[in-house]
């Protein structure tokens, strides 16, 4: 297979949980439903402390266009609306819900079929009201992506089942087990943006997922494409380049080249919302790394504390030295397990001391490997040095804004330089000095 | 649950490649050439190599101490590699004190004065070699004759193939016997020359190791060789009396050593593929010009040093087009 896009790295895929079917997890005694589970304005609460709520009942409403609502994953009592642990490490306002164990749904649970007659415009509202965001990790509100301006016609909707991050298998299992739901969501998304073509993109290390998707009830114009394994292929712009050979222009969006990319989990959520009236209240996540006693893929209620996920799957088999929310390449290191599962939680990885090489940063030896692996064709070593030397004025000349922060440069650097971290620092510096 | 985590930024995975794997990888790849040097030049070669390596390690530690740094960089293999490369670039008869001066120049003036590994604009071993060549021209061009398994420090001197050719050209106006000497000698190493440059075969093996282990890419050696073959070939076709065939140029002198081990030095060569091609072509052009028309019989060291100087500007003009920018436009916002 040919190299699908320029650059990229090939870390060991470590998909140890690929054959673990998605299992539901015991509900937790307390759910932390953060009002910021997505990029954009936080949602605004609709309930107050002491209220009894039913499953699927809206708890919060979108706080703006780039924002979504939030729903009760089960019935119970609102214990408070207060600063609570968040994966970012900060405390963020959340609705704390104590489930009553009855799991009593709202009546009726959903509008069902009549929605189909209401047409694509109404579906977008349903998607927004159902609180759906990109479930690959970035958590960008989905209805915004599904609302391109008229002057930007969409030709193709991509179902992103690439899952290029090592260790993560949540999307993999979802495709194997729920291919029809994903295909249905893809068909709905295609109608919403008026696209005639659909592509299901899967990396070659998931042949069973590709098989399942091919055997699903694919509508006309939809094909399954298997891509060579290469990180960061799941990044929107790299994926579009790999699939249709077009480059999203700098500062632009996939819609600028006639494409919309949706994670397969997101498409399943769209199907649930439009076809069954079910809002986004749970998701599949991978528990992995070297420490969990019960590594696997779990269907988890949003708001479930990560500690609950770990404890109810058998705990850990040793001392922790690194916890990662998401994949090992772009995931966020956690200081503990207090924070909850959010809409963007694709996985939780736990590693012990000695499992991950501890880098010791040295001077750049100009080997050029970062230049070779950069999928944006940047000069990461130069950007890193400019930030290190505080020559912020030159960062724009070297196109720092085009860095997608995939981490390939840092991964490959023999001098163990934290190049992505330097670049993030440089971007922050430009932003704060108003030069961007 | 006992949780005490490292809050490091992503990515949390790192490749296994380190500076050490690269440096010691190059050292390993140099071992065949080192062995051939020891075989043909005996104890003298060993003496030069040992003094050069120990000298470089000593000066690295000494200067680091003077700069108030810790001695950790001593273990990264770069000083050891500089020592080995310098030895490869010296005649086996070089007196010990001259080797030591070279080691001091390589580490002090070639590397640490700029801030150590990663900051030096010129290849340190070549800086030292050229320094010695200019300062002690006679000692630096006295080439002991190869004599397998020699355990003696005494040796008869012999011209290098390139030197013999240059002499003949000056005296007789033609390349003389030098070009007819057959290629087997310089291919195996049974000729006069610096102790690490004589065997094209051993260096070729080393080069293949470097390429196979992905320590270097093909761009610099291939463009360097191609340029030398193309240019010397053109002159040879024009006048075989005055110019040796390209095969002769390929296996003699320091071309193999330079192209695989010196021109590919990470720190002092361009970072992009297209930059490396330009760099290799530049090295080739300068090498051939010096060999055919210059005052020295050999031009590899000068060629690489001159191209080292051009590296920043090559890097500047070979920046790849950034993703999402129109073709042909400078990658600037």
């Amino acid at each position: 297979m040919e190299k699908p896009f320029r650059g990229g790295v090939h870390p060991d895929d470590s998909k140890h949980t690929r054959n673990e079917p998605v299992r539901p997890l015991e509900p937790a005694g307390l759910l932390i439903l953060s009002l910021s589970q997505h990029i954009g304005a936080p949602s605004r609460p609709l309930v107050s402390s002491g209220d009894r709520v039913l499953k699927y009942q809206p708890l919060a409403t979108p706080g703006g266009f780039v924002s979504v609502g939030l729903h009760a994953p089960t019935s119970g009592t609102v214990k408070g609306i207060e600063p609570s642990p968040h994966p970012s490490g900060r405390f963020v306002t959340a609705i704390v819900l104590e489930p009553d164990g009855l799991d009593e749904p709202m009546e009726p649970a959903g509008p069902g079929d009549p929605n189909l007659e209401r047409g694509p415009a109404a579906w977008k509202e349903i998607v927004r009201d159902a609180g759906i965001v990109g479930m690959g990790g970035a958590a960008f509100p989905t209805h915004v992506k599904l609302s391109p301006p008229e002057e930007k016609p969409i030709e193709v909707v991509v179902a992103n089942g690439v899952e290029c991050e090592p260790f993560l298998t949540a999307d993999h299992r979802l495709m194997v087990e729920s291919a029809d739901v994903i295909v249905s969501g893809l068909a709905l998304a295609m109608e919403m943006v008026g696209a005639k073509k659909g592509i299901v993109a899967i990396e070659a290390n998931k042949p069973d997922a590709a098989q399942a998707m091919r055997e699903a009830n694919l509508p006309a114009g939809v094909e399954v494409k298997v891509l060579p394994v290469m990180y960061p292929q799941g990044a929107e712009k790299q994926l579009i380049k790999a699939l249709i050979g077009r480059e999203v222009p700098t500062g632009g969006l996939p819609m600028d080249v006639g494409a919309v990319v949706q994670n397969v989990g997101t498409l399943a959520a769209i199907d649930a919302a439009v076809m069954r009236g079910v809002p986004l209240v749970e998701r599949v996540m991978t528990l992995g790394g070297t420490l969990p006693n019960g590594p696997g893929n779990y269907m988890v209620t949003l708001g479930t504390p990560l500690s609950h996920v770990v404890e109810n799957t058998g705990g850990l088999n040793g001392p922790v030295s690194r916890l990662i929310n998401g994949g090992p390449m772009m995931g966020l290191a956690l200081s503990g397990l207090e924070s909850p599962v959010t809409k963007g939680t694709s996985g939780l990885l736990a590693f012990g001391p000695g499992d991950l090489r501890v880098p010791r940063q040295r001077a750049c030896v100009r080997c050029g490997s970062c230049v070779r692996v950069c999928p944006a064709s940047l000069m990461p070593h130069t950007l890193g040095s400019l930030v290190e030397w505080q020559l912020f004025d030159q960062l724009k000349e070297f196109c720092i804004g085009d860095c997608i922060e995939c981490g390939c440069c840092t991964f490959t650097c023999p001098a163990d330089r934290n190049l992505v971290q330097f670049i993030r620092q440089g971007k922050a510096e430009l932003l704060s000095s108003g030069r961007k | 649950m006992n949780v005490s985590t490292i809050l490091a930024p992503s990515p949390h995975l790192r490749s296994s490649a380190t500076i050490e794997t690269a440096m010691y990888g190059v050292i390993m790849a140099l071992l065949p050439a080192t062995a051939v040097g020891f075989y043909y030049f005996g104890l003298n070669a060993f003496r030069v190599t040992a003094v050069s390596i120990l000298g470089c390690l000593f000066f690295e530690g000494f200067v680091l101490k003077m700069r108030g740094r810790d001695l950790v960089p001593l273990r990264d293999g770069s000083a050891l590699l500089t020592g080995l490369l310098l030895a490869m670039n010296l005649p086996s008869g070089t007196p010990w004190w001259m080797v030591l001066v070279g080691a001091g120049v390589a580490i002090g003036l070639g590397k640490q004065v700029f801030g150590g590994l990663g900051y030096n604009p010129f290849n340190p071993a070549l800086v030292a070699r050229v320094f010695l060549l200019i300062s002690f021209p006679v000692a630096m061009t006295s080439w002991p004759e190869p004599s397998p398994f020699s355990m003696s420090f005494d040796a008869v001197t012999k011209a290098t193939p390139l030197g013999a050719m240059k002499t003949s050209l000056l005296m007789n106006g033609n390349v003389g016997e030098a070009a007819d000497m057959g290629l087997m000698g310089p291919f195996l190493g049974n000729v006069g020359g610096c102790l690490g440059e004589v065997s094209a075969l051993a260096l070729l093996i080393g080069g293949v190791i470097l390429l196979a282990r992905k320590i270097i890419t093909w761009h610099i050696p291939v463009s360097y060789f191609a340029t030398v073959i193309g240019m010397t070939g053109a002159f040879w076709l024009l006048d075989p009396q005055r110019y040796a065939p390209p095969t002769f140029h390929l296996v003699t002198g320091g071309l193999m050593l330079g192209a695989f081990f010196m021109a590919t030095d990470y720190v002092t060569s361009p970072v992009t593929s297209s930059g490396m091609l330009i760099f290799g072509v530049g090295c080739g052009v300068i090498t051939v010009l010096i060999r055919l028309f210059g005052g020295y019989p050999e031009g590899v060291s000068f060629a690489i040093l001159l191209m080292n100087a051009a590296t920043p500007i090559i890097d500047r003009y070979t920046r790849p087009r950034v993703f999402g920018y129109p073709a042909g436009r400078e990658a600037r916002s």
Side-chain angles (χ1 to χ4, degrees):
Chain A
M1 273 183 279
E2 274 181 41
K3 206 169 178 182
F5 60 97
R6 186 200 177 278
V9 294
H10 203 155
D12 180 3
D13 73 12
S14 304
K15 305 274 192 184
H16 310 303
T17 51
R18 77 180 83 213
N19 293 321
E20 299 287 338
V22 177
R23 280 173 288 173
L25 199 71
E26 291 275 302
L30 214 56
L31 300 176
I32 304 166
L33 296 152
S34 174
L35 294 172
S36 299
Q37 302 194 36
H38 52 267
I39 288 175
S43 33
R44 283 198 303 267
L46 296 168
V47 292
S48 35
S49 194
D51 287 2
R52 175 153 198 274
V53 297
L54 297 174
K55 186 176 188 177
Y56 303 142
Q57 181 180 330
L59 298 181
T61 184
F65 179 62
V66 184
S67 184
V68 292
L70 182 62
H71 303 76
T74 184
S75 59
T77 311
V78 175
K79 300 303 284 182
I81 301 174
E82 59 201 34
S84 308
H86 187 267
S88 66
R90 293 187 296 268
F91 272 61
V92 174
T93 307
I95 296 171
V96 181
L97 180 70
E98 185 177 44
D100 55 16
L102 303 173
D103 207 26
E104 189 184 340
M106 265 174 84
E107 288 296 341
D113 272 347
N115 272 325
L116 286 180
E117 285 149 33
R118 287 174 56 201
W123 302 343
K124 283 182 210 171
E125 281 174 39
I126 293 171
V127 166
R128 183 195 61 207
D129 294 342
I132 300 175
V133 300
M135 291 167 77
F140 186 79
T142 298
H143 66 276
V144 182
K145 273 194 186 179
L146 292 174
S147 311
E150 268 182 35
E151 70 272 16
K152 290 181 181 168
I154 304 299
E155 290 165 45
V156 57
V157 176
V158 175
N160 186 353
V162 168
E163 203 163 42
C164 58
E165 277 266 11
F167 290 94
L168 301 185
T169 55
D171 290 348
H172 183 172
R173 292 310 308 178
L174 190 69
M175 288 188 281
V176 169
E177 297 172 33
S178 312
D180 279 320
V181 178
I182 296 167
V183 169
S184 167
L186 174 59
L188 289 169
M190 284 164 65
E191 269 200 70
M192 281 188 257
V193 297
K196 295 277 178 291
K197 259 181 78 181
I199 301 175
V200 182
I202 303 172
E203 282 196 341
N205 57 0
K206 303 178 245 304
D208 49 343
Q211 183 68 19
M213 294 304 297
R214 279 200 193 96
E215 285 168 5
N217 190 17
L218 292 177
V222 175
E223 59 173 326
V224 176
K225 275 199 182 174
V226 176
L227 298 163
V229 181
M230 180 67 69
Y231 176 87
Q233 192 148 232
E236 281 191 340
K237 295 181 180 184
Q238 276 59 43
L239 184 56
I240 291 169
K241 174 80 176 168
L243 291 173
I244 59 176
R246 292 184 199 157
E247 278 187 25
V248 177
T250 174
L253 293 168
M255 63 173 73
D256 293 322
V257 293
V260 163
V261 180
Q262 297 286 1
N263 167 270
V264 289
T266 314
L267 292 170
I270 290 173
D271 174 73
V274 176
M275 303 297 273
R276 292 187 285 125
V278 175
L280 181 59
V281 293
E282 57 181 12
R283 67 159 297 145
V284 184
M285 66 174 280
T286 301
L287 177 65
T290 52
L291 295 184
N293 286 321
N297 300 292
Y298 294 95
M299 182 63 82
V300 191
T301 303
L302 297 181
T304 305
L306 294 172
S307 56
H308 179 88
V309 176
V310 170
E311 280 154 18
N312 284 271
T313 54
L316 303 177
N317 62 36
V320 187
S321 78
R322 187 127 40 165
L323 291 168
I324 301 164
N325 183 42
M329 295 299 288
M330 289 189 82
L332 200 64
L334 298 170
S335 59
L337 292 165
E338 302 78 25
S339 60
V341 173
T342 65
K343 293 172 181 176
T345 305
S346 50
L348 172 68
L349 307 178
F351 294 95
D355 289 341
L356 301 174
R357 193 162 72 75
V358 180
R360 195 170 55 80
Q361 183 160 263
R362 287 175 281 179
C364 172
V365 291
R366 294 174 34 80
C367 66
S369 44
C370 58
V371 179
R372 284 191 286 280
V373 301
C374 180
S377 297
L378 301 173
M379 307 280 259
H381 70 298
T382 307
L383 289 168
S385 298
L386 290 173
V387 172
E388 199 176 22
W389 303 331
Q390 309 217 337
L391 299 171
F392 301 119
D393 287 332
Q394 291 179 47
L395 290 173
K396 273 172 81 173
E397 188 194 334
F398 286 89
C399 302
I400 190 170
D402 292 284
C403 171
I404 60 170
E405 302 184 22
C406 63
C408 288
C409 50
T410 311
F411 173 83
T412 200
C413 180
D416 283 337
R417 293 174 66 70
N418 281 319
L419 294 168
V420 199
Q421 189 61 6
F422 279 131
I423 292 173
R424 288 192 194 112
Q425 229 175 298
K427 282 183 177 177
E429 177 67 27
L430 290 190
L431 210 60
S432 68
S433 63
R435 274 177 285 194
K436 194 167 183 176
Chain B
M1 201 173 310
N2 178 19
V3 173
S4 109
T5 62
I6 300 167
L7 282 178
S10 65
H12 307 283
L13 285 183
R14 306 290 182 123
S15 71
S16 57
T18 61
I19 292 176
E20 284 76 11
T21 53
M23 293 296 166
Y24 289 106
V26 179
I27 291 166
M28 297 289 282
L30 265 174
L31 291 184
T34 313
V36 171
F38 287 1
Y39 172 74
Y40 281 122
F41 302 113
L43 273 181
N44 274 321
F46 181 76
R47 176 183 54 91
V48 168
T49 307
V51 172
S52 179
I53 289 174
L54 292 175
C56 282
L57 288 172
F58 168 78
F59 284 112
E60 177 95 340
F62 180 73
V63 182
L64 283 171
K65 260 273 176 287
M66 295 240 305
R67 292 175 60 207
R69 302 297 172 98
D70 64 18
L71 297 179
V72 176
L74 263 180
R75 278 181 297 185
D76 66 22
S78 64
L80 178 53
L81 177 58
T82 297
L84 183 57
L85 278 174
L86 175 59
M88 297 293 108
N89 277 284
L90 296 176
S92 60
T94 313
W96 66 268
W97 58 268
M98 215 184 281
V99 180
L100 215 53
V101 168
V105 169
I107 297 296
L109 285 178
K111 179 178 172 190
Q112 287 292 343
V113 75
F114 298 104
L117 181 65
Y119 299 109
N120 50 300
F122 300 102
N123 184 308
L126 285 180
V127 170
R129 174 181 145 81
V130 167
F131 174 88
L132 293 176
L133 186 62
I134 294 168
S135 309
F136 312 103
V138 177
M140 285 294 287
T141 49
S142 299
W143 313 100
E145 187 168 5
S147 107
F149 294 119
S150 162
M151 283 296 144
S152 159
F153 284 114
D154 301 319
V156 185
T157 60
K158 180 188 185 177
T160 68
L162 286 171
M165 187 180 79
K166 192 120 230 168
T167 309
S168 172
L169 199 58
L170 289 174
M171 310 273 287
N172 315 323
N174 61 47
V175 291
E177 294 163 11
D180 301 327
M181 63 179 282
L183 300 175
M184 223 45 201
F187 189 65
L188 295 177
N190 195 12
V191 291
C194 294
L195 71 90
E197 74 181 16
V198 289
S199 171
L201 175 63
L203 292 161
L204 207 55
I205 292 169
V208 170
I209 293 173
L210 290 179
L211 288 167
R213 294 190 58 196
K214 296 191 172 163
I215 294 171
I216 63 169
T217 64
W218 59 270
H219 302 82
I220 291 176
V222 167
S223 57
Y224 198 163
F225 292 140
T227 306
V228 169
I229 292 170
M231 279 181 75
T232 57
F235 282 106
W236 173 65
L237 287 174
L238 281 176
D239 188 353
Q241 287 296 303
R242 288 186 62 87
Y243 303 105
T247 43
F248 175 82
H249 281 282
L250 208 52
V251 296
T252 55
L255 182 61
M256 290 275 168
L257 180 63
F260 282 122
F261 293 94
M262 321 283 283
T264 54
D265 173 23
Y266 290 156
V267 182
T268 57
S269 65
V271 292
T272 62
S273 305
S274 53
M276 289 178 190
L277 291 174
I278 295 170
F279 185 89
V281 169
C283 286
V285 169
I286 300 171
T287 300
V288 173
L289 290 180
I290 294 175
R291 278 189 181 185
L292 300 188
F293 309 110
Y296 287 89
E298 168 67 301
V300 170
S301 307
F302 296 108
I304 295 173
L305 281 176
L306 284 168
M307 290 312 291
N308 286 165
T311 289
I313 199 146
I314 294 174
D315 270 344
R316 187 174 183 84
Y317 287 102
T318 55
R319 271 154 54 181
R321 179 187 62 83
V322 175
F323 188 99
Y325 285 76
R329 215 190 96 186
E330 267 283 278
R332 284 151 212 254
S333 47

